[in-house]
Amino acid sequence: SSIKEAFAWMGDQISSGSNFDLLNMGSKFNVCDKDDLLDPENHKVFLEAFWGLFPLQSNDPSCEGDYCNYEKICEFFTTETSETPQDKLAYLAHVVFGGQCVDIKYSDMIADLKDTSSQDRSWIWQTCTEFGFYQTCDPGTECPFTTSPWLSTAQSYLDICSQAFGIHSQAVTQAILESNEFYSGWKYNGTNVFFLNGDVDPWHANSVLEANNKYQLALMVEGASHHAWTHPPRPGRDQKSVEQAREAIELVVGSWIGAFADDGTHHHHKA
């Protein structure tokens, strides 16, 4: 609730604060150019910049840094102090961002996506041309971030496709429909597929959670974040559920390889 309160406060400053209030907020949150907050075009980038303080898909219960997982962040926000939630959020940003200022200029983001050497360009292009993937924060939901003003809308991401790549909303919608038609969405019917998901990974909502045929398996890994089992093993520190997931993968993939090796369909070349 403290986190929700901090983001609601930021929304209130944007909705009804004076220019002076906005500049003060820019100072509090170490915005590179405080004047950028006076331009409504930059408000979405400003608010979403602070989503990155939270390990949305990468929570690691055994991490050792400050505020590196939900448990440590929640302890920080729930410990009684005289600081307001927004002061705590600003402090967290200072620590997690290493004192770096926050660039919130929307036009810089679009210019970066137009730059062919940009690391972000290919991923955003893929969302625009294949499957969407947009992370909204809608009023009336459990989203802990700013919902008033409502800036993190599906349309706000579609606008990026249009401005960065000239791909308009209708084309994105059509591409998503075609991707789901091609791969069959949740009804994907491929064989020799093992769908693993962590129940702490928000992306499990997009995944196949139950096998669609007898040649598929699905496993929900309790307490695990996004593909935690693909990270290098850390004996004595990894979650038991993650260790068990790795063992399951080894068994399943081993059985597929064994079945292929035993299958008479592969050809031997005779001398």
Side-chain angles (χ1 to χ4, degrees):
S1 63
S2 288
I3 293 166
K4 208 172 176 76
E5 206 177 310
F7 277 94
W9 178 86
M10 294 160 89
D12 288 343
Q13 298 299 297
I14 284 171
S15 295
S16 52
S18 64
N19 283 358
F20 180 74
D21 292 332
L22 288 171
L23 293 171
N24 266 351
M25 182 165 68
S27 297
K28 181 191 287 287
F29 286 95
N30 198 21
V31 171
C32 298
D33 185 347
K34 319 287 182 284
D35 285 346
D36 286 342
L37 268 173
L38 302 180
D39 183 349
E41 180 181 70
N42 302 319
H43 291 165
K44 170 184 160 74
V45 181
F46 170 71
L47 293 170
E48 291 175 4
F50 300 97
W51 294 9
L53 300 175
F54 304 91
L56 303 178
Q57 63 175 37
S58 55
N59 189 58
D60 179 0
S62 61
C63 66
E64 295 175 336
D66 291 337
Y67 316 118
C68 60
N69 62 31
Y70 282 124
E71 187 178 9
K72 294 182 179 187
I73 292 170
C74 288
E75 187 182 354
F76 170 64
F77 272 98
T78 53
T79 302
E80 286 291 325
T81 67
S82 59
E83 290 180 304
T84 63
Q86 56 268 27
D87 287 338
K88 286 189 171 186
L89 188 68
Y91 176 75
L92 181 66
H94 176 75
V95 174
V96 173
F97 295 155
Q100 293 273 318
C101 69
V102 182
D103 181 8
I104 65 164
K105 200 184 284 286
Y106 183 84
S107 58
D108 283 355
M109 179 190 69
I110 297 297
D112 180 59
L113 291 175
K114 287 182 173 182
D115 179 356
T116 54
S117 65
S118 166
Q119 289 187 328
D120 297 322
R121 179 178 163 89
S122 59
W123 170 245
I124 302 300
W125 164 265
Q126 195 175 9
T127 71
C128 297
T129 57
E130 284 189 53
F131 45 69
F133 179 85
Y134 306 123
Q135 297 146 65
T136 61
C137 190
D138 301 335
T141 67
E142 292 182 24
C143 181
F145 307 126
T146 308
T147 57
S148 178
W150 187 20
L151 299 178
S152 300
T153 63
Q155 188 59 50
S156 71
Y157 292 100
L158 293 170
D159 289 344
I160 293 171
C161 294
S162 175
Q163 292 164 25
F165 305 117
I167 302 169
H168 298 291
S169 303
Q170 204 172 347
V172 181
T173 304
Q174 186 60 33
I176 294 165
L177 288 171
E178 288 173 5
S179 291
N180 280 331
E181 193 176 322
F182 184 82
Y183 294 106
S184 303
W186 284 309
K187 299 297 181 191
Y188 177 71
N189 205 33
T191 56
N192 288 5
V193 183
F194 191 4
F195 295 100
L196 291 100
N197 287 279
D199 66 0
V200 181
D201 176 13
W203 295 116
H204 79 256
N206 276 7
S207 186
V208 175
L209 304 181
E210 291 180 18
N212 287 311
N213 63 50
K214 65 180 181 179
Y215 303 106
Q216 295 181 357
L217 290 123
L219 176 67
M220 184 65 77
V221 185
E222 189 180 345
S225 60
H226 199 54
H227 61 76
W229 44 89
T230 66
H231 301 159
R234 297 169 305 174
R237 284 180 56 201
D238 282 335
Q239 294 160 278
K240 188 76 180 161
S241 61
V242 170
E243 291 178 341
Q244 289 169 341
R246 291 192 184 113
E247 289 167 9
I249 292 167
E250 190 172 356
L251 278 172
V252 170
V253 175
S255 73
W256 291 338
I257 293 169
F260 178 78
D262 295 339
D263 187 350
T265 56
H266 59 293
H267 301 289
H268 295 282
H269 294 284
K270 292 182 179 176

